[in-house]
Amino acid sequence: MQEIKVYKTYSNYLRNKFGEKVYKLPVSLPLTCPNRDGTVGENGCIFCGEEGGSFENLSSSISVKEQLEKNKEYIGKRYNAKKFIAYFQNFTNTYMPFQDFKKYIQESIIDDIVGISISTRPDAIDDRYLEFLEDIKREYDLEITVELGLQTVNYHSLLKINRGHGLGEYIDAAVKLKKYGLRNCTHLILNLPWDNDLDVLENAKIMSALGVEEIKLHALYIVEGTALGDMYKKGQLDLISRDDYLERVILFLEHLDPAIVIQRIIGRAPQENTLFVNWDESWWKIRDNIVETMEERDTRQGAKFDYLNGRALKKFDLNF
């Protein structure tokens, strides 16, 4: 596939910033989630399986440094890579005592690591942890990104999926990340059964208004043994079609600030124990179809980004 030009890709962003390709190295920690252990809930999100959103990590019993060294050796040889991002991926990677958090982050600062990416929840963001990350960023000249699982700005849908937090907690976390100069990568699912096109638009508008730096889009996938899986098998879910997902992604991108980096527009999932994933089609085929459709329509990310900074006043001459 030719270089993608209809939206701002993560690979191009990293290449422009670091002068070459940069690869993520997954890190697994012995963690859980406040939505599982009774702090905010006990059963977790209705779509979340036992692996906590990760299916490619090494065992969490291995030290952070050893995981990174092993993954770096493998990926470095396979792709001739020289620069890497330590990616704390599974479950809620800020949900631990502060001293433990500091230790794990410091263990990840090894040779050839140019950035750290930390996956977490909006209700697990605290000033003390962010101050520490700000110090690490400054001391080691690392790019620090916090990946916030939101899934949707529709707080009614957040309740439906048993997310354990609302939109307010997300906004609070996004504002705090700005305060400390840390990048925000927000995860969104554009085909939740309870969302419609208006929710897709609001997703784009709120991400743009908050100045989010990065976005990860993924289609809902349904895992055996989850509450969502049970609903699916009982015929209680109204899932949109593959073509409708394509249209939602395009709608989202057209209304999104063109400065926001897109880490992905559809995700991958394991076939094992999965009841539904990407309409039984390869993720890259769906991605390519979205890109080709946008090219055919001569549209792009930000084509309809015209709603901020006093849209109602644009009828007047504002040249003072």
Side-chain angles (χ1 to χ4, degrees), residues 276-292:
F276 173 87
V277 56
N278 294 345
W279 300 271
D280 293 324
E281 189 168 351
S282 298
W283 68 269
W284 58 267
K285 287 184 179 181
I286 297 175
R287 178 204 61 190
D288 289 356
N289 193 194
I290 292 169
V291 171
E292 290 163 2

Side-chain angles (χ1 to χ4, degrees), residues 1 64 98 100 181 242 284 299:
M1 180 178 174
V64 169
F98 179 56
D100 292 345
R242 173 196 179 281
W284 58 267
T299 191

Side-chain angles (χ1 to χ4, degrees), residues 39-246:
T39 301
V40 299
E42 294 182 347
N43 298 314
C45 302
I46 64 172
F47 53 74
C48 190
E50 291 303 315
E51 293 171 316
S54 169
F55 58 94
E56 296 177 323
N57 289 15
L58 295 173
S59 171
S60 62
S61 64
I62 304 173
S63 72
V64 169
K65 182 177 180 181
E66 188 177 356
Q67 288 183 61
L68 289 172
E69 294 288 5
K70 285 187 175 183
N71 282 323
K72 185 172 76 166
E73 181 180 8
Y74 171 73
I75 292 176
K77 288 180 179 178
R78 183 174 183 181
Y79 299 106
N80 192 29
K82 299 176 182 177
K83 294 180 180 179
F84 306 92
I85 293 170
Y87 182 23
F88 292 85
Q89 184 176 13
N90 66 317
F91 291 119
T92 307
N93 287 271
T94 56
Y95 186 56
M96 67 185 82
F98 179 56
Q99 293 303 321
D100 292 345
F101 179 73
K102 287 176 62 177
K103 177 177 72 73
Y104 287 131
I105 296 298
Q106 287 168 334
E107 286 177 3
S108 73
I109 304 171
I110 64 173
D111 290 343
D112 306 319
I113 292 292
V114 297
I116 300 173
S117 188
I118 303 157
S119 182
T120 188
R121 291 167 50 92
D123 56 1
I125 295 293
D126 176 84
D127 284 300
R128 184 171 45 161
Y129 292 63
L130 299 185
E131 286 173 4
F132 166 71
L133 291 175
E134 182 185 36
D135 290 341
I136 290 291
K137 171 188 171 184
R138 186 185 306 110
E139 181 177 356
Y140 295 96
D141 191 28
L142 295 173
E143 178 161 285
I144 308 291
T145 303
V146 177
E147 300 204 11
L148 291 176
L150 174 62
Q151 317 316 340
T152 178
V153 300
N154 183 335
Y155 38 87
H156 299 288
S157 293
L158 291 176
L159 186 62
K160 290 271 191 183
I161 64 177
N162 196 41
R163 187 66 191 160
H165 66 76
L167 180 59
E169 291 90 331
Y170 170 78
I171 294 172
D172 175 60
V175 170
K176 285 184 182 296
L177 291 176
K178 280 288 183 189
K179 174 183 175 182
Y180 293 101
L182 306 173
R183 293 180 68 83
N184 174 352
C185 175
T186 297
H187 294 212
L188 295 168
I189 300 172
L190 294 189
N191 66 322
L192 289 172
W194 306 278
D195 281 7
N196 57 32
D197 286 358
L198 181 59
D199 298 303
V200 173
L201 279 173
E202 286 302 302
N203 278 329
K205 289 182 177 182
I206 289 177
M207 297 303 105
S208 299
L210 288 172
V212 167
E213 285 80 17
E214 301 172 14
I215 293 289
K216 267 187 182 178
L217 298 180
H218 50 112
L220 183 68
Y221 70 89
I222 303 174
V223 180
E224 181 74 68
T226 62
L228 191 69
D230 292 341
M231 295 171 68
Y232 179 76
K233 289 190 289 186
K234 293 175 182 177
Q236 297 173 342
L237 297 178
D238 185 16
L239 299 177
I240 65 172
S241 69
R242 173 196 179 281
D243 289 343
D244 285 338
Y245 180 79
L246 180 149

Side-chain angles (χ1 to χ4, degrees), residues 259-287:
I260 296 176
V261 175
I262 307 299
Q263 282 213 24
R264 69 184 181 205
I265 58 175
I266 191 164
R268 296 183 297 130
Q271 293 295 331
E272 299 79 15
N273 299 319
T274 301
L275 300 172
F276 173 87
V277 56
N278 294 345
W279 300 271
D280 293 324
E281 189 168 351
S282 298
W283 68 269
W284 58 267
K285 287 184 179 181
I286 297 175
R287 178 204 61 190

